[in-house]
Amino acid sequence: MDASLRDPHLVVIAVFPGIDALDVTGPAEAFAIANQMLRLRGRRTDYEVRLIGERRGPVPTFSGIQLYVEHEFAEHREPIGTLVVPGRVDIGAVSAVPQVDPAVVTWLREVGPAAGRVASVCAGAHITAAAGLLDGHRATTHWATAGRLASEHPAIEVDADPIFVRSGRMWTSAGITASIDLAVALVAEDHGDQVALDVARAMVMYMQRPGGQSQFSVPLAQLPSTREDVHSLRRWIGEHLDDDLSVQALAGRMAMSERHFARVFLAETGSTPGAFVEQMRLEAARRLLERTDRLTTDIARTCGFGSVETFYRVVRDRLGTTPGEYRNRFRISATA
């Protein structure tokens, strides 16, 4: 069919009171900018974005900003190209609690199976899961609620690490800002990588992040140190990955016995020294694979793996792939 005669791709974003505003506005802006990029190329704009809720009128978000809904669940009859399901997480001192709106769940059960694709943002995965749409799929969500999603919905293969995951027509993303990464990936699927890259540039994103990247770096994943000596050691490790970072060497640097050092480090970081060093080395290697053309032998040496064989084993065990396959999938070109 001639593109000029095709119906617009209808993007419907389901909202409810207390929702995270960026979960809604982030994807909406990305799709709007994609339309602008298509016009600049002399192509037909594609996306029509609608907010839909249980009833018309203003809907308060978590930040206090109000969204205005003009379309109700009960009245919607049109085919949906992309159904976006945002979420809301309440972060408490003990745990994070995802908000699951019953009205959205009921509506998703009705219209979700017929939608072209369903994209859950952050804790929206809990809503999509409650509607039964994620059963049998691999999915991600906000790291703080991933364990809860896995325990409450054992039919879902939950992966807490990636920024976003595609499983068939089901897409899920990590917390809040990852909603933009998800939307840009959807644009790439529809219109190619160059349009998606232009959208990322227009939104002044640091980069068009691939979905398999981790939600957070190793330092962010670790507990904050209450001891300045441990905090300084962690920073020093990151700057000396090709040094001897054995427990014996690190304990000597801290002037502690190996046993006492291991206990202190675990208590302060939530990780053993060996696991922390391996994670730091792997993260540095991932950055080099994504951003450079350096040989794997050079990366293995620079990041302190000792041998290419050890480097391959760690990448295989931690990432489920090889360094070459990882680079092919997540390579960030110089122009990007």
Side-chain angles (χ1 to χ4, degrees), residues 26-270:
E29 290 290 333
F31 290 124
I33 292 174
N35 279 340
Q36 187 177 54
M37 295 304 160
L38 291 170
R39 282 195 298 271
L40 290 174
R41 284 175 165 76
R43 293 162 59 180
R44 177 185 177 280
T45 58
D46 193 31
Y47 300 106
E48 178 185 342
V49 179
R50 296 182 188 174
L51 301 189
I52 190 167
E54 187 174 12
R55 58 183 61 88
R56 287 191 187 88
V59 176
T61 67
F62 170 71
S63 65
I65 295 173
Q66 296 201 60
L67 305 171
Y68 193 86
V69 172
E70 295 182 338
H71 304 273
E72 296 183 1
F73 293 149
E75 297 176 349
H76 185 85
R77 298 291 183 272
E78 296 175 64
I80 299 173
T82 300
L83 175 54
V84 180
V85 186
R88 166 81 199 117
V89 178
D90 286 329
I91 305 293
V94 178
S95 64
V97 180
Q99 300 304 303
V100 177
D101 187 86
V104 178
V105 172
T106 299
W107 186 68
L108 284 184
R109 287 182 181 140
E110 296 174 1
V111 304
R117 61 190 176 195
V118 179
S120 301
V121 176
C122 189
H126 292 265
I127 299 174
T128 310
L133 299 178
L134 288 178
D135 287 355
H137 289 278
R138 178 169 168 259
T140 192
T141 187
H142 192 290
W143 61 268
T145 67
R148 188 184 191 115
L149 181 65
S151 64
E152 293 181 352
H153 301 278
I156 302 171
E157 181 189 347
V158 179
D159 187 344
D161 193 48
I163 293 172
F164 61 84
V165 167
R166 179 187 181 181
S167 178
R169 69 185 187 93
M170 305 302 299
W171 296 66
T172 51
S173 79
I176 305 180
T177 59
S179 65
I180 302 175
D181 298 283
L182 174 63
V184 171
L186 295 173
V187 171
E189 182 183 51
D190 295 337
H191 299 288
D193 291 337
Q194 190 56 55
V195 173
L197 181 57
D198 287 346
V199 172
R201 284 172 173 159
M203 298 188 78
V204 199
M205 295 170 67
Y206 173 62
M207 66 179 71
Q208 184 183 338
R209 297 187 294 180
Q213 283 195 335
S214 180
Q215 291 190 29
F216 37 69
S217 64
V218 174
L220 288 177
Q222 301 292 324
L223 297 173
S225 299
T226 58
R227 293 178 53 142
E228 179 58 34
D229 56 350
V230 175
H231 177 74
S232 297
L233 179 67
R234 289 164 63 177
R235 186 170 56 249
W236 182 87
I237 289 172
E239 297 169 352
H240 298 82
L241 293 176
D242 59 344
D243 282 14
D244 178 5
L245 300 181
S246 64
V247 172
Q248 180 181 14
L250 295 176
R253 184 174 181 82
M254 295 283 285
M256 298 179 181
S257 70
E258 293 180 34
R259 185 175 181 181
H260 180 56
F261 166 69
R263 283 201 303 263
V264 169
F265 194 90
L266 178 62
E268 286 293 306
T269 69

